[in-house]
Amino acid sequence: MVMTPIRKAQDLILWLQNIRLDDIPLVGGKNASLGEMLQQLTPKGIRVPDGFATTATAYRQFIQKNGLDATLRALFADLDVTDVKKLQHRGAQARSLILNAPFPPELEVAIRDAYRDLCNRYGADADVAVRSSATAEDLPDASFAGQQETYLNVHGESHVVEACKKCFASLFTDRAISYRTLKGFDHFDVALSVCVQKMVRSDLATSGVMFSIDTETGFKNAVLITAAYGLGENVVQGTVNPDEYRVFKPTLKDGFRPILSKRVGSKALRMIYDTGGTKLVKNIPVPLHEQQQFALDDDDILTLARWTCQIEDHYSALRGSDSPMDIEWAKDGQTGELFIVQARPETVQSQRQANVLRTYRLDKPADAEPLVQGRAVGDMVGSGTACVILDVSDISQFRPGEVLVTVKTDPDWEPIMKQAAAIVTDQGGRTCHAAIIARELGIPAIVGCGNATRVLQTGQDVTVSCAEGEDGNVYAGQLPFAIEETALDELPTTRTKIMMNVGNPEIAFGLSALPNAGVGLARMEFIIANHIQVHPLALVNFDTLKDGVVKRRIALLTETYEDKPQYFVDKLAQGISTIAAAFYPKPVVVRLSDFKSNEYANLLGGEEFEPLEENPMIGWRGASRYYDDRYRAGFALECQALKRVRDDMGLTNVILMVPFCRTPDEGRKVLAEMANHGLVRGENGLQVYVMCELPSNVVLADQFSEVFDGFSIGSNDLTQLTLGLDRDSALVAHLFDERNEGVKRMVAQAIATAKAHGRKIGICGQGPSDYPEFARFLVEQGIDSMSLNPDSVIKTILDIAELEKTIEPG
């Protein structure tokens, strides 16, 4: 065991286990955080590799004894960091001065002695990481991420001393100079500490980055984890497109396994030790079959997520306020153990103004097709002239206001990144350098496009849209867009609950910031059509599919699944759980699948299992499918997914809703079928609603009340079936109007009967937001809730609040 000396004011070296978070002025944010975790969190099971740090005292003595202070100050006295060539020249001069100056003998001896102590513990010639830690680094409002250098797989006393010197010099990298200027830090108020830390052999396993907050929306209840093979620099620098996993924090803390989503990345390269070459590390290709697999299993994902929560809770308690964290992790391929190798405050979403909702709306032609697509970073839109730069040595070609298009960025690109209207890269995931800096600068970025530098051309006008979900799109031309701001703290409250219709899981976290009472209608159809794409029975009967082309397409989509039906269950559970988590613990009403037979037939493999119907709108849909032998096996997969969401993930705020249920007896058959798969009404708080969209639902509402816990009026179907018209027919479209007196009487009767029998009743549709008089009618009838499309929520809240002032509570 290394003996840790008592700290003295003149100490040049401190062991991490002797350092606490309030030592930032002495050892920088990175090292202070490592010491804090070693002392306080290793007793809780979180592993942190040990090591030692040179102090700010050591750096300042080095500068003073070599007489460098005056020379360095002169170099930067008149520097304009927007002049890229001058910045590069002055930075090189500063680094050269430091690299050519000798370490004071007492500092070199201290480093050598400490490294020898590490070798005594871990073995001769121990492999270490030598990392920079500036005293202005990892602050809650400025990350300084990647501004200074890191050296991996360093062996031997002399090489460790040399790497420490290089770290000192990296205080004056071009990007560090530029970043300090941007953030208003004096170059000479900042000192450099160096951490020498035992390496985790993630070159033989996996590593990555994780955040205790959703990086795009600021949603605080999710952990985002990224992972790739080998050492973590590839993920941080955006050299690879990593896997992404999201975990829901509240029910994770209650002992559930709430992995909301898993997205496989290409992970085309693996950074390993260069044991036989002249470099410290090198990248090698990852075989295709490994690229297609997840880099982490579920147990590791959940362990990392728990650690993230513990780290966030610890730092929040220290700071006395919420402290979302940005954390680097690594898995040792020799021992199988996970480690935390860095933790810093998240500096973007945590600083956003929470009471103002800013929404970007892109005005694009209906036929606009994206030129390239990738992962969206920031829910914004930007436009400008593309500037394609393949090498950082050419950044002087960039002009302010252009869209930077490149393979990937690292901190050397930062002098021009802050001048860009948007950034587009071929490589990288949501935790890569380009993504982190774009968020911090408040500009949109699309990462991991794969082909942006080949498709986009310098001088081409483009629009970069990150306001359309998780996928970012680059469109030709500079398209118009609007920015809407809403002060959320000024909105009134209403007696009538205003809920939302949400079908797309990719935008659920962002929508949850809107004022709402939950989700009144979560449609499965979007998840099935867009995320699954395959007919459930084509997965159940995969081996006997007749169409060879379709079978190959399904095989490609499900290549990581030997059990093909499990693909449907996993994807559906992930989609539903993401929506449920976004609004937890508010109710989220999930409607069971309500495709018509022609819509089911359009799914991959669907034609083999669907009948031809003359009028599928009023045919084999909704409840009638679930207990029918021709679809029962497909419905079983829906039930398995929903049971996982509620029972395994702990998202018991999910309420199920049965669509197009023609009779109370049919409702009982559906409930019996659900119970066969473990979804028993009343157990574990399970409520089951029914869509009130058929005249029989209204006329027999008293009997339906005995079967179901609540109703949701589907005004579209109720209108068409009350008036006897096909809402898909243009010939009778002029007659479709939910304000028709016959429809209103049906609605009024449904509300009155439901309330008389103690059942909740709401409406899901656009009628209340499109027609103020219809909204007033619903409020007068005493409806419990209205569920609307998100873009109507704020307007409707304002309208309903005014209405309720004139109507006495029922």
Side-chain angles (χ1 to χ4, degrees), residues 45-49 122 199-202 204-207 296 300 303-304 307 329-341:
I46 296 176
R47 300 183 196 91
V48 180
Y122 295 110
M199 286 285 291
V200 176
R201 291 303 303 269
S202 58
L204 304 175
T206 58
S207 59
L296 288 176
D300 281 346
T303 296
L304 289 171
W307 286 6
W329 63 271
K331 183 172 184 177
D332 194 301
Q334 294 177 327
T335 67
E337 294 175 318
L338 293 166
F339 289 86
I340 301 300
V341 296

Side-chain angles (χ1 to χ4, degrees), residues 214 217-222 246-251 260 500 502 504-514 516-519 574-588 645 651 653-654:
D214 184 66
T217 64
F219 180 69
K220 293 182 178 180
N221 280 339
R246 281 196 180 91
V247 183
F248 185 54
K249 288 153 61 174
T251 58
L260 302 178
M500 275 191 279
V502 181
N504 183 356
E506 295 180 356
I507 60 175
F509 285 175
L511 293 177
S512 68
L514 287 167
N516 68 85
V519 175
Q574 289 170 17
I576 292 170
S577 65
T578 298
I579 298 172
F583 295 87
Y584 184 89
K586 298 172 186 174
V588 172
V645 170
L651 291 161
N653 60 323
V654 168

Side-chain angles (χ1 to χ4, degrees), residues 352-367:
R352 287 180 67 172
Q353 194 174 354
N355 62 344
V356 175
L357 179 71
R358 181 177 288 106
T359 305
Y360 284 71
R361 302 198 184 283
L362 179 65
D363 183 10
K364 65 179 181 180
D367 59 350

Side-chain angles (χ1 to χ4, degrees), residues 104 158 169 192-193 201 217 230 268 317 336-337 381 408 444 534 537 569 592 689 715:
S158 296
L192 199 289
S193 168
R201 291 303 303 269
T217 64
E337 294 175 318
V381 178
K408 67 181 181 75
V534 185
L537 294 180
V569 175
L592 300 170
Y689 288 4
S715 56

